[in-house]
């Protein structure tokens, strides 16, 4: 009978405590017991059974299509030994968590292959806070025949996971953050990809837009996915490029783009930038090994994407955007590229706060209608195309506006800058901060770091929308000519910078943002709901 931790607890509840496992479950490596329900052993067909040494002793090992189970071979049950059941406990790993198998040999410097020791399985473990970790488990048996039989069976099972990539095109931005992307890739990512037998083709990008221009032309035949090693800017550029390419291949005109076609290849994002909002939102944690393992395991999720266009012309694809304070902060930071990333971000925030001024805008939006709403309206006999009268319009002075298709998790906002959005529930969050005093605005910004509702201010409004149109009313208001400003600051005062996924987008005229559900597939795991953990922020 199976007895995980769950099982023993149930038993303790039902029948008396005599067999309840002590809390410190002695020799059992708990890390190997996934929290998920144990797969049903009885229903599975046994593929192989044999003896291996695992951990400290000989074990009776059973391989089924879904799991590898083992239990120590112990002498006869000593009468009344309460520890027997615990020592005899069955352990298992699910094969869907195995990403590689190797024959384990004693290292020998001269010989090509040393003495066989057994088999090593490489597995992906779930840790706390959405983190994944690679680990190994050794099955020791010196018999070549025995090991060879099992090894081939493991290989066959692994080959059956057809969703896992075998070949990846990698774009590495060596300039991101503290120029660490190269090191991160070669030290943490590549060894795991190699271990998993994934072929890679690495391009180190040389300038902003390089990946975009390469992806227009380069041959992607034979690749199962594209991976970007960098920050949000690099990841968004590659996503944009993949989507542009998909439109081109499908012969879809990008002007007046209403229904773009989906990107053909999934995109993996290895967080190596100064902001890693996309990776953080995908994986629940901006963690390199976690991101790599999701790619290796072929965990794929469809993600909503926005198009940004002006006067019917597509500007770009992206996941999130801000203007007002969020755009100006980025524009200021970009002007101070010579500073270190953290330095220039702090500088820009302080500077933008000092010069805080609202934008005079007209924002129109189409509220989100769930498919349920649509069905109800259909049932009521409403025609399908009555969208035009659903548009709503708000006008006024806005300090900061966010339009986000993904939750935008980041270190200063662990629940996300748009905590009510999901990666792919077909809607985006429109969050509007109306003009208020500087102290009140700062209070709102600080609230992102806490568990309290950051939107519960009278000057903040949130909407769930499908489409947004932004029209700027007056682009020179508030500029005081008596201030002694650097020329670029005057220019900045008059400019209307957008921050799209951490990239600066300067637009002179109206911007039309439209959500496209599940337009791209990204490697990543479904994240657990964040519990209200205590998070403090001392950035402001
Ligand atoms: C405002 O700006 C900050 C900082 O740039 C950003 O993180 C935040 O999400 C923006 N949006 C709103 C609605 O406050
Ligand atoms: C998306 O999810 C959030 C959180 O569950 C919810 O508030 C929002 O209404 C959802 N949107 C849709 C379109 O289901
Ligand atoms: C914005 O609010 C501040 C503080 O309440 C006020 O001093 C300022 O005049 C307002 N600006 C505009 C353009 O309404
Ligand atoms: C634009 O701003 C200027 C300077 O603040 C003001 O005099 C003018 O009335 C504004 N125009 C509109 C259309 O709001
Ligand atoms: C903003 O002002 C500049 C000059 O100050 C002008 O060239 C530009 O057309 C204006 N843009 C809008 C949207 O009014
Ligand atoms: C969140 O809290 C619930 C109930 O308290 C718990 O069952 C769950 O495991 C927690 N999840 C995380 C990610 O901590």
């Amino acid at each position: 009978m199976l007895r995980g931790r769950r099982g023993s607890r149930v038993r303790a509840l039902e029948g008396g405590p005599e067999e309840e496992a002590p809390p410190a479950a002695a020799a059992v490596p708990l890390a190997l017991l996934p929290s998920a329900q144990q797969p049903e052993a009885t229903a599975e067909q046994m593929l192989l059974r044999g003896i291996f040494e695992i951990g400290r002793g000989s074990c009776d090992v059973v391989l089924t299509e879904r799991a590898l189970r083992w239990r120590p071979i112990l002498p006869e049950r000593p009468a009344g030994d309460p520890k027997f059941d615990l020592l005899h406990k069955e352990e298992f790993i699910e094969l869907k968590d195995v990403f590689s198998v190797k024959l384990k040999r004693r290292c020998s410097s001269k010989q090509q292959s040393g003495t066989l020791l057994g088999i090593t399985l490489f597995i992906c473990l779930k840790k706390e806070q959405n983190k994944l970790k690679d680990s190994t488990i050794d099955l020791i048996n010196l018999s070549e025949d025995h090991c060879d039989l099992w090894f081939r069976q493991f290989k066959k099972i692994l080959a059956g996971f057809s969703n896992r990539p075998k070949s990846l095109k990698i774009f590495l931005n060596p300039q991101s953050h503290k120029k660490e992307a190269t090191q991160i890739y070669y030290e943490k990512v590549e060894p795991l990809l190699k271990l998993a037998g994934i072929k890679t083709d690495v391009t180190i990008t040389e300038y902003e837009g390089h990946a975009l221009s390469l992806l227009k032309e380069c041959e992607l035949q034979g690749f199962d996915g594209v991976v970007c090693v960098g920050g949000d800017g690099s990841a968004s550029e590659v996503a944009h490029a993949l989507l542009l390419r998909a439109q081109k291949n499908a012969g879809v005109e990008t002007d007046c783009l209403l229904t773009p076609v989906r990107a053909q290849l999934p995109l993996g994002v290895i967080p190596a930038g100064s902001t890693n909002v996309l990776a953080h939102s995908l994986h629940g944690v901006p963690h390199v090994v976690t991101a790599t393992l999701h790619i290796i395991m072929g965990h794929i999720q469809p993600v909503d994407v926005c198009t940004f266009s002006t006067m019917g012309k597509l500007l770009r694809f992206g996941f999130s955007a801000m203007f007002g304070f969020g755009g100006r902060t980025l524009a200021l930071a970009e002007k101070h590229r010579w500073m270190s990333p953290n330095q220039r971000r702090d500088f820009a925030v302080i500077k933008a706060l000092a010069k805080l001024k609202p934008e005079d805008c007209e924002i129109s939006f189409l509220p989100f209608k769930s498919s349920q709403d649509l069905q109800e309206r259909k049932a009521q006999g409403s025609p399908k195309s009555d969208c035009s009268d659903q548009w709503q319009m708000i006008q006024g002075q806005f300090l900061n506006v966010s339009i986000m298709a993904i939750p935008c998790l980041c270190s200063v906002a662990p629940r996300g800058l748009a905590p009510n959005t999901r990666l792919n529930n077909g809607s985006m969050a429109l969050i509007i901060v109306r003009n208020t005093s500087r102290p009140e605005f700062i209070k709102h910004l600080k609230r992102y770091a806490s568990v309290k509702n950051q939107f519960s201010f009278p000057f903040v409004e949130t909407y769930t929308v499908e489409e947004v149109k932004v029209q700027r009313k007056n682009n020179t208001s508030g500029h005081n000519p008596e201030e002694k400003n650097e020329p670029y600051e005057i220019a900045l005062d008059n400019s209307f910078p957008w921050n799209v996924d951490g990239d600066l987008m300067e637009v002179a005229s109206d911007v039309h943002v439209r959500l496209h559900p599940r337009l791209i597939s990204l490697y990543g795991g479904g994240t657990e709901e964040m519990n209200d953990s205590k998070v403090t922020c001392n950035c402001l």
Side-chain angles (χ1 to χ4, degrees):
M1 131 151 225
L2 292 176
R3 288 189 59 226
R5 291 159 80 192
R6 222 178 268 270
S8 53
R9 196 149 87 232
V10 170
R11 233 206 250 190
L13 285 174
E14 287 168 355
E18 85 281 10
E19 288 204 351
E20 193 185 348
V28 183
L30 285 177
L32 291 179
L33 295 173
S35 55
Q37 203 83 37
Q38 297 201 5
E40 207 47 63
T42 46
E44 289 172 52
Q45 200 198 335
M46 187 193 297
L47 298 174
L48 287 174
R49 181 169 189 172
I51 293 175
F52 287 95
E53 206 173 294
I54 300 179
R56 262 174 265 160
S58 288
C59 293
D60 174 12
V61 185
V62 173
L63 178 67
T64 67
E65 272 155 23
R66 285 170 58 195
L68 179 76
R69 304 160 186 285
W70 64 96
R71 92 177 48 235
I73 300 167
L74 294 177
E76 284 300 297
R77 178 180 188 140
D81 184 349
K83 285 221 176 96
F84 182 87
D85 271 6
L86 181 63
L87 292 173
H88 197 62
K89 194 182 179 83
E90 184 186 76
E91 290 180 59
F92 73 95
I93 52 172
E94 290 186 66
L95 294 170
K96 69 172 174 55
D97 294 329
V98 177
F99 67 89
S100 184
V101 57
K102 298 253 182 268
L103 286 170
K104 184 180 172 69
R105 293 181 188 276
R106 176 169 287 127
C107 291
S108 57
S109 48
K110 289 274 165 62
Q111 275 167 267
Q112 287 265 313
S113 52
T115 323
L116 182 78
L117 297 176
I119 295 171
T120 301
L121 295 178
F122 296 85
I123 57 180
C124 170
L125 291 180
K126 286 195 182 71
K127 308 291 280 184
E128 67 290 345
Q129 288 161 343
N130 296 312
K131 269 192 189 163
L132 301 180
K133 185 181 180 299
D134 58 296
S135 182
T136 59
I137 177 163
D138 289 331
L139 313 180
I140 301 300
N141 187 313
L142 305 186
S143 155
E144 289 271 0
D145 290 347
H146 186 62
C147 286
D148 189 55
L149 182 67
W150 281 70
F151 178 73
R152 276 188 287 126
Q153 187 62 254
F154 280 125
K155 277 281 190 201
K156 199 171 145 198
I157 291 169
L158 287 182
F161 293 113
S162 55
N163 56 331
R164 298 187 183 174
K166 288 163 197 69
S167 177
L168 294 169
K169 173 74 206 169
I170 311 232
F171 289 98
L172 196 163
N173 176 3
Q175 297 302 323
S176 52
H177 195 42
K178 297 178 193 154
K179 305 192 172 30
E180 286 162 341
T182 313
Q183 194 188 352
I184 286 174
Y185 178 74
Y186 287 108
E187 284 181 9
K188 293 186 174 173
V189 181
E190 195 198 38
L192 284 173
L193 298 179
K194 263 205 174 124
L195 198 52
I198 297 173
K199 277 186 276 171
T200 54
D201 179 70
V202 181
T203 297
I204 296 179
T205 58
E206 284 156 25
Y207 52 88
E208 204 182 317
H210 192 188
L212 175 62
S213 66
L214 287 174
L215 272 169
K216 274 189 187 135
E217 306 298 334
C218 76
E219 185 58 70
L220 287 180
Q221 200 80 39
F223 291 111
D224 302 308
V226 176
V227 170
C228 172
V229 188
D232 286 321
S234 322
S236 179
E237 180 183 320
V238 175
H240 169 66
L242 286 173
L243 283 162
L244 271 188
R245 189 184 168 106
Q247 312 316 308
K248 197 175 151 202
N249 288 352
V252 174
E253 194 59 54
T254 55
D255 286 349
C256 299
L257 186 59
L258 284 179
T259 44
V261 299
R262 305 196 60 211
Q264 281 106 349
L265 291 180
L267 169 63
V269 182
I270 305 286
S274 39
T275 64
N276 299 298
V277 166
L278 185 56
H280 200 154
S281 301
L282 278 171
H283 311 304
V285 59
H287 185 240
V288 170
V289 170
T290 301
T292 308
L293 286 170
H294 278 305
I295 294 170
I296 290 172
M297 308 306 278
H299 297 158
I300 281 178
Q301 49 188 341
V303 175
D304 298 346
V305 179
C306 306
T307 45
F308 297 86
S309 44
T310 185
M311 304 197 288
K313 260 188 99 66
L314 177 74
L315 295 166
R316 58 174 293 162
F317 293 92
F319 301 97
S320 70
M322 308 179 226
F323 66 87
F325 179 75
R328 282 178 191 284
T329 316
L330 179 67
L332 278 163
E334 288 294 311
K335 300 279 196 231
H336 295 83
R337 278 242 151 226
W338 48 271
M339 293 184 180
S340 80
N342 293 335
Q343 236 183 345
R344 69 169 173 262
R345 206 164 41 193
D346 289 352
F347 168 84
V349 167
I350 290 162
K351 192 103 186 173
L353 277 176
K355 298 170 68 70
L356 193 64
K357 71 171 183 104
E359 298 284 355
D360 188 1
C361 292
E362 187 181 293
I363 302 176
S364 323
F365 60 90
L366 192 58
F368 173 78
K369 272 174 241 66
S370 64
S371 47
Q372 202 184 342
D373 287 350
L374 286 176
Q375 269 167 15
E376 274 168 23
R377 288 200 298 145
K378 236 186 189 167
Q380 288 161 7
S382 315
K384 226 182 156 197
S385 58
D386 61 350
C387 289
S388 51
D389 56 346
Q390 307 292 321
W391 281 88
Q392 294 180 23
M393 199 257 278
I394 44 182
Q395 207 172 347
Q397 306 283 333
F398 306 110
L399 282 179
N400 198 15
V401 176
S402 298
I403 302 168
M404 293 172 162
I406 62 170
C408 292
L409 270 52
C410 56
S411 57
V412 296
R415 294 169 61 243
L417 295 173
N420 297 330
T421 324
R422 293 295 169 266
L423 286 171
N424 55 26
N425 72 0
S427 65
M428 45 186 184
L430 167 64
I431 308 166
I432 290 169
V433 182
R434 288 184 185 269
N435 187 31
T436 184
S437 68
R438 189 177 293 126
E440 284 295 301
F441 180 65
I442 293 174
K443 222 191 261 178
H444 153 71
L445 286 183
K446 280 184 162 176
R447 198 61 84 70
Y448 276 107
S450 81
V451 296
K452 286 193 226 150
N453 186 354
Q454 60 263 47
F455 306 133
S456 59
F457 289 92
F459 51 89
V460 180
E461 292 158 33
T462 67
Y463 303 91
T464 303
V465 302
E466 287 173 7
E467 249 178 280
V468 181
K469 287 177 185 164
V470 177
Q471 191 182 354
R472 197 179 181 204
K473 281 307 207 199
N474 195 336
N475 65 12
T476 52
S477 69
H479 177 238
N480 182 352
E482 278 169 34
E483 271 180 53
K484 282 217 178 77
N485 279 333
E486 307 284 327
Y488 72 76
E489 285 178 350
I490 294 169
L492 198 56
D493 275 346
N494 294 329
S495 69
F496 189 50
W498 284 66
N499 175 338
V500 178
D501 297 334
D503 275 347
L504 199 57
M505 183 176 87
E506 300 269 7
V507 208
S509 47
D510 307 357
V511 175
H512 185 171
V513 188
R514 189 198 289 265
L515 186 90
H516 304 281
R518 299 171 169 247
L519 198 58
I520 194 167
S521 289
L522 290 169
Y523 287 107
T527 61
E528 294 167 34
E529 292 291 316
M530 283 282 286
N531 276 346
D532 287 354
S533 48
K534 311 273 173 306
V535 196
T536 51
C537 169
N538 41 21
C539 62
L540 288 170

